Amino acid sequence: MRIPSHPAALVILAVSMSFIPAAAADELRFQHHYVVRELPVNAQGYGDYGLTALVDVDRDGDLDFVLGGRATKPSELYWFEYQAPDRWVKHLVGTDYGSDVELAALDVDRDGWTDLVCSGVWYRNPGRPRQQPFERLVFAHGEGGAHDVVAADIDGDGRQDIVMMGDPGTQLKELVWYRIPEDPRQLWERHRIGPSVHGAISPGGVADIDGDGDLDVVRADTWFENVDGKGLRWEAHANIPMGRKGPFGVCVRTVVTDVDGDGKQEVVMCDADIVDSKVAILKNVDGKGCRWSKQELPQSFSYGSLHSLVVADFNNDGRKDILVCEQEELLPAGRQNPRFVVFENLGGRFVERIIFDGRLGGHEAVVGDVDADGDLDICSKAWGPLPWNANRGRMHADYLENLLIKK
């Protein structure tokens, strides 16, 4: 995403689903805190902040927030050490990370510490991340600009691989995956999956779509079948009823999971980088990826760009809810109030809950039990700040504390 901070046959089945209108959320209550209230922007006020993760970077038992920004040259990647809801300590991971929007957090070298994989480079956790810098290592030359980065076992060998996608305007240009070698300091083995769109496979678009036991890749309007189960042969099926073209091309966020509790996985998608974004549940009718039904979730207002998607149980009722949030950019004309929305799952019915309406936009939100109280919290940040935001137009990162359980 490069927004300036200013300004088999296709079969679609119509499905009737019971929804209820927006209402006050008695159980879904969140309190806003700032992770940080000021980060660098460039001379034009642009931020270009992405690369989020919520992981225990320092292995102290709580979650820390990772994010990166390209307002400086070279770009800077940070991790924020959680100490209290309103106290986070900023640390520098490293510079020149290469990605457009995303990273993957995983233990690359299997030493017990979480490392960070970006576009063509990875940052090795030194084991003392508060005192020592991460080591920047190149795993692929000339592969910058990934919009999406996902860790998944593509070849079925029991180890995580990296799936990346950069749109045609980047160095990466296409949808690829990399096998991490025994010595991850060496260059990683690259395999092409297919052509790219602007954004599509993150945060959870790698899954077994055709039920054959291996992982396929969902890319907005198309899914790629892992034909040999090893990631060496791929077949494209352009039959998914999503993927609208916005100002930067086709862009969605994707999670494949069993959202309705029927034992079968659905594809949850939301539009991104486009005004009037929609959220939909796509059911894999035949279990083979040949027939899809589409259920759009109810909206009480016209949404802006929804560049965040999380499917998780926010009220501990055993059902998965759906989180999206609007950016400060690409809002409908006349609106200056980006909102965070949870579609609460009532067991076959979904209700739109506005959980935060505080004039602060979100982008690539991530969730986890930050305060270790037994419920899921949210961390996010703006892609870039707009002058009207509630932080006096400054760049911000945010922590929404879930008040379901209080210590």
Side-chain angles (χ1 to χ4, degrees):
M1 174 177 173
R2 296 181 296 280
I3 302 175
S5 297
H6 288 294
L10 170 60
V11 179
I12 304 174
L13 305 182
V15 174
S16 174
M17 190 171 190
S18 176
F19 295 113
I20 60 179
D26 295 330
E27 293 184 343
L28 288 170
R29 295 184 300 116
F30 291 81
Q31 181 176 349
H32 175 265
H33 308 270
Y34 286 104
V35 174
V36 63
R37 298 196 66 161
E38 191 156 13
L39 285 169
V41 294
N42 67 17
Q44 292 73 41
Y46 303 164
D48 290 7
Y49 280 88
L51 291 87
T52 56
L54 197 52
V55 291
D56 188 0
V57 172
D58 52 1
R59 281 191 7 185
D60 65 351
D62 56 45
L63 297 175
D64 310 297
F65 185 44
V66 178
L67 69 93
R70 297 184 298 181
T72 61
K73 293 187 182 300
S75 56
E76 293 185 334
L77 184 62
Y78 312 107
W79 71 279
F80 289 84
E81 177 189 351
Y82 174 78
Q83 295 187 342
D86 291 298
R87 187 168 68 253
W88 300 70
V89 178
K90 186 174 79 169
H91 303 273
L92 180 67
V93 172
T95 62
D96 195 18
Y97 53 68
S99 293
D100 183 11
V101 172
E102 287 205 349
L103 57 69
L106 68 156
D107 184 1
V108 172
D109 55 1
R110 295 182 288 178
D111 66 351
W113 293 87
T114 298
D115 309 302
L116 302 171
V117 178
C118 303
S119 192
V121 300
W122 66 285
Y123 295 85
R124 182 181 177 274
N125 192 323
R128 300 180 63 199
R130 297 178 199 158
Q131 292 83 27
Q132 295 176 316
F134 284 60
E135 183 180 4
R136 181 183 184 274
L137 296 158
V138 175
F139 69 83
H141 294 291
E143 297 281 73
H147 187 283
D148 294 357
V149 183
V150 177
D153 182 7
I154 295 296
D155 54 7
D157 67 354
R159 295 185 59 185
Q160 295 285 82
D161 307 299
I162 296 296
V163 186
M164 298 198 325
M165 186 176 70
D167 74 27
T170 66
Q171 286 182 317
L172 183 57
K173 298 186 188 305
E174 52 191 0
L175 176 59
V176 300
W177 73 276
Y178 298 87
R179 180 182 287 115
I180 302 175
E182 286 296 324
D183 178 3
R185 293 176 176 273
Q186 303 302 311
L187 295 181
W188 298 0
E189 186 178 314
R190 183 189 197 269
H191 301 276
R192 184 179 188 271
I193 297 173
S196 65
V197 295
H198 182 60
I201 67 174
S202 295
V206 181
D208 184 5
I209 298 300
D210 52 5
D212 64 355
D214 55 43
L215 295 182
D216 310 298
V217 179
V218 179
R219 194 216 64 189
D221 55 0
T222 299
W223 69 278
F224 291 86
E225 179 186 354
N226 188 349
V227 176
D228 61 358
K230 301 296 183 182
L232 303 179
R233 293 177 53 220
W234 298 87
E235 183 177 348
H237 302 273
N239 64 356
I240 297 179
M242 279 289 283
R244 298 161 56 211
K245 188 174 183 179
F248 306 97
V250 172
C251 191
V252 299
R253 305 285 81 192
T254 304
V255 174
V256 183
T257 186
D258 178 12
V259 72
D260 59 7
D262 66 353
K264 302 176 182 177
Q265 289 193 322
E266 291 79 41
V267 178
V268 183
M269 274 192 195
C270 67
D271 294 315
D273 284 348
I274 192 170
V275 177
D276 195 27
S277 288
K278 306 294 183 184
V279 187
I281 297 172
L282 307 170
K283 291 199 173 185
N284 188 352
V285 176
D286 63 356
K288 300 294 184 181
C290 296
R291 303 169 62 210
W292 299 90
S293 67
K294 180 179 180 179
Q295 306 163 358
E296 284 193 1
L297 272 61
Q299 298 179 191
S300 63
F301 60 98
S302 178
Y303 289 6
S305 170
L306 301 177
H307 214 296
S308 295
L309 177 66
V310 178
V311 182
D313 182 4
F314 288 99
N315 56 4
N316 288 2
D317 65 355
R319 294 187 290 261
K320 294 178 182 178
D321 312 300
I322 299 171
L323 166 72
V324 296
C325 60
E326 297 177 294
Q327 297 179 227
E328 290 178 24
E329 306 89 353
L330 288 172
L331 283 173
R335 280 191 51 210
Q336 296 182 348
N337 62 331
R339 293 162 170 166
F340 286 66
V341 175
V342 168
F343 292 97
E344 184 181 357
N345 186 344
L346 301 181
R349 299 180 298 160
F350 287 83
V351 58
E352 175 198 60
R353 308 287 199 190
I354 299 171
I355 61 166
F356 181 61
D357 192 355
R359 295 174 69 85
L360 295 169
H363 182 270
E364 293 298 293
V366 287
V367 307
D369 188 1
V370 172
D371 51 7
D373 65 354
D375 55 33
L376 292 178
D377 311 297
I378 303 165
C379 282
S380 183
K381 82 292 169 307
W383 171 255
L386 288 186
W388 46 256
N389 77 24
N391 192 38
R392 293 190 294 172
R394 296 175 297 181
M395 183 61 203
H396 55 92
D398 309 281
Y399 165 49
L400 297 183
E401 178 190 3
N402 192 336
L403 302 181
L404 182 68
I405 299 173
K406 295 293 289 182
K407 287 184 178 179

